[in-house]
Amino acid sequence: MGTTTSFRSFHFIIWVLFVAFSIFHPIVSANQLSIVIGQSTSLLVSPSLAVENSPGLKPGTKVVCERVDIRGLSRLHDLKKFAHSVKVKVLQNSSSLRRPNVEVCFHRNASLGVGMCPHGRWEKVSKGSWFKSMSPFDHKILDIRMARSSLETVVVAIEEGKIFQE
Ligand SMILES: *[C@@H]1O[C@H](CO)[C@@H](O)[C@H](O)[C@H]1NC(C)=O
Ligand SMILES: *[C@@H]1O[C@H](CO)[C@@H](O)[C@H](O)[C@H]1NC(C)=O
């Protein structure tokens, strides 16, 4: 009897762990935001990773950052169907009166910490929007930073308007 009970509770624990893992795992992977060219087109991003000493800022400035992976197509994809560039956009939708300062760094160095792009690589999202073109076959990284007090949600989108051209 005792053996059966502990056997059952063992199974119960495994079951609980399994359920917990299934519930929490998507949250964990959701931390790595990504846009896959040809599959997804936009993402709402609320930077939440607190970063200190992000390059180029006054010492002691605290910012919140977020990283979005922009994953291109493999070259094995139907080459002819895709245009040779995709536009990556960052849009602020807050009103122009109190638009927080948002900066982005568009790079491909995966070993750089989030928000640690060198000084001079950061670009301002001016007048509420920023965009850059990239090859649909590239894999790029978009780091976003803003003052910790801003708490703004930005939209990261890719424009594939001309991507499907026969
Ligand atoms: C920004 O856009 C999101 C999603 O479209 C919306 O929920 C939010 O209210 C917008 N914020 C402002 C300030 O317009
Ligand atoms: C990528 O970032 C790492 C860490 O900062 C740095 O050591 C390395 O030189 C960078 N690589 C390139 C190609 O910039």
Side-chain angles (χ1 to χ4, degrees), residues 44 93-95 155:
L44 281 176
N93 68 349
S94 52
S95 83
V155 178

Side-chain angles (χ1 to χ4, degrees), residues 20-115:
F21 183 78
S22 323
I23 292 170
F24 289 112
H25 189 249
I27 296 171
V28 169
S29 36
N31 276 341
Q32 187 45 64
L33 298 172
S34 65
I35 286 189
V36 182
I37 292 170
Q39 286 177 25
S40 44
T41 54
S42 72
L43 211 57
L44 281 176
V45 181
S46 311
S48 60
L49 180 73
V51 173
E52 276 184 63
N53 305 323
S54 183
L57 299 175
K58 282 193 217 102
T61 308
K62 289 180 175 159
V63 288
V64 281
C65 300
E66 202 63 66
R67 171 168 287 181
V68 181
D69 259 353
I70 317 259
R71 296 175 183 277
L73 303 154
S74 98
R75 287 204 181 257
L76 299 175
H77 261 79
D78 200 346
L79 269 175
K80 277 171 283 173
K81 275 193 175 168
F82 296 95
H84 33 254
S85 91
V86 167
K87 199 192 258 182
V88 179
K89 302 190 284 186
V90 176
L91 307 167
Q92 286 178 271
N93 68 349
S94 52
S95 83
S96 53
L97 290 174
R98 286 211 121 255
R99 194 176 278 146
N101 225 352
V102 174
E103 288 182 308
V104 295
C105 175
F106 196 46
H107 64 104
R108 54 161 66 83
N109 188 350
S111 44
L112 268 181
V114 177

